[in-house]
Amino acid sequence: MRKIVIAGNWKMHKTQAESLEFLQAFMPELEKDVEEREVILCAPYTALGVLSQNLHGSRVQLSAQNIHWEEAGAYTGEISGAMLTEMGVSYAIVGHSERRQYFCETDETVNWRALAAQRHGLTPILCIGESKQQRDAGETETVIANQLKAGLVNLDLTRLIIAYEPIWAIGTGETCGASEANRVIGLIRSQLDNPDVPIQYGGSVKPSNIDEIMAQPEIDGVLVGGASVDPANFARIVHYQ
Ligand code: PGA
């Protein structure tokens, strides 16, 4: 049975005070929810501690937006698995396209990060997706297959989430059509040895398209950027119909 996972990726948004303001508005909305859907906030590192204290005992889980592959060392600006688990974090995004694009992360380092997450008992949210140029050149399927093959080396498929995020649909307002997202996600599933890995769609998910996206049989949840920083919008997405 595949889990439904709705995750909000705040990216580089929200101070600690702003994160608490978000919770004040968001948590009462969530209490109305009766269905079992995993809800995750992927907050900046600086907000994870205060969020963790305030979410204790709630059903909302926390995710980091990255994780380093080493246990400790001279890696200025990076964060380790132990630092995250100490704060009550249970997930870590790895391989987000913004990390791949702006910070030179490769399939290999993304795989190391995912392995480090699992070593620390965190569930990696592995992001994959093609660029506009690759899509236009008819390379979507090959790009996805290559990212998967390299990203999944030695990973435990029972403790993993995959997010299909076509790069051209991220932060652009241009959503991938729900049926096309469904097709690619089906393709991803066909390449996994475990059919129960939850596979999310990400890229311009918002209250106006969430119902159609979640109606697709292959899509097990969403990774939401822009629309997740607003509590009412994110609550509406969690409560998709
Ligand atoms: P977006 O971002 O919802 O703002 O397009 C999605 C993501 O980057 O995970």
Side-chain angles (χ1 to χ4, degrees):
M1 179 64 180
R2 275 146 42 197
K3 217 169 38 171
I4 297 291
V5 188
I6 311 290
N9 174 15
W10 287 352
K11 310 191 179 184
M12 198 173 72
H13 292 285
K14 294 196 191 295
T15 61
Q16 296 186 56
E18 289 164 346
S19 303
L20 289 178
E21 263 171 51
F22 175 95
L23 286 194
Q24 258 174 11
F26 180 66
M27 294 312 282
E29 288 292 326
L30 205 60
E31 277 159 22
K32 296 177 199 154
D33 191 10
V34 285
E35 283 190 65
E36 262 318 304
R37 293 173 189 177
E38 184 94 336
V39 180
I40 306 176
L41 293 175
C42 314
Y45 302 132
T46 45
L48 289 171
V50 74
L51 282 171
S52 176
Q53 284 159 15
N54 283 273
L55 286 170
H56 193 70
S58 88
R59 52 179 284 222
V60 179
Q61 303 291 317
L62 283 176
S63 174
Q65 296 174 14
N66 211 348
I67 178 174
H68 196 261
W69 54 87
E70 290 292 346
E71 302 300 305
Y75 301 103
T76 303
E78 291 285 334
I79 195 155
S80 75
M83 293 169 186
L84 295 173
T85 50
E86 187 189 44
M87 286 191 293
V89 172
S90 8
Y91 294 87
I93 296 177
V94 294
H96 191 282
S97 61
E98 285 152 15
R99 299 293 321 173
R100 294 179 190 258
Q101 256 184 303
Y102 308 141
F103 302 98
C104 306
E105 297 205 10
T106 65
D107 285 331
E108 191 178 32
T109 58
V110 168
N111 172 251
W112 295 345
R113 291 178 191 273
L115 287 168
Q118 289 192 338
R119 226 171 30 243
H120 284 274
L122 299 162
T123 300
I125 302 174
L126 171 69
C127 301
I128 56 174
E130 81 288 357
S131 67
K132 177 96 180 89
Q133 205 186 7
Q134 290 164 331
R135 172 159 283 260
D136 291 347
E139 293 166 4
T140 300
E141 290 74 9
T142 326
V143 169
I144 296 291
N146 290 341
Q147 285 179 337
L148 266 184
K149 191 159 180 270
L152 294 179
V153 175
N154 292 330
L155 275 189
D156 173 357
L157 296 190
T158 64
R159 294 185 296 132
L160 173 71
I161 294 174
I162 293 177
Y164 169 56
E165 299 208 305
I167 299 171
W168 47 273
I170 295 180
T172 56
E174 195 186 338
T175 326
C176 177
S179 61
E180 173 60 7
N182 188 65
R183 182 187 75 83
V184 179
I185 288 178
L187 205 75
I188 294 171
R189 196 179 310 287
S190 71
Q191 294 170 46
L192 301 177
D193 288 336
N194 174 9
D196 291 335
V197 174
I199 310 179
Q200 300 174 307
Y201 166 76
S204 298
V205 174
K206 41 199 173 216
S208 59
N209 59 26
I210 184 65
D211 298 338
E212 190 192 0
I213 291 168
M214 288 309 296
Q216 303 296 319
E218 296 286 355
I219 303 183
D220 304 322
V222 281
L223 182 54
V224 189
S228 73
V229 295
D230 175 80
N233 282 343
F234 192 51
R236 171 63 184 87
I237 288 170
V238 169
H239 296 141
Y240 71 84
Q241 279 135 32

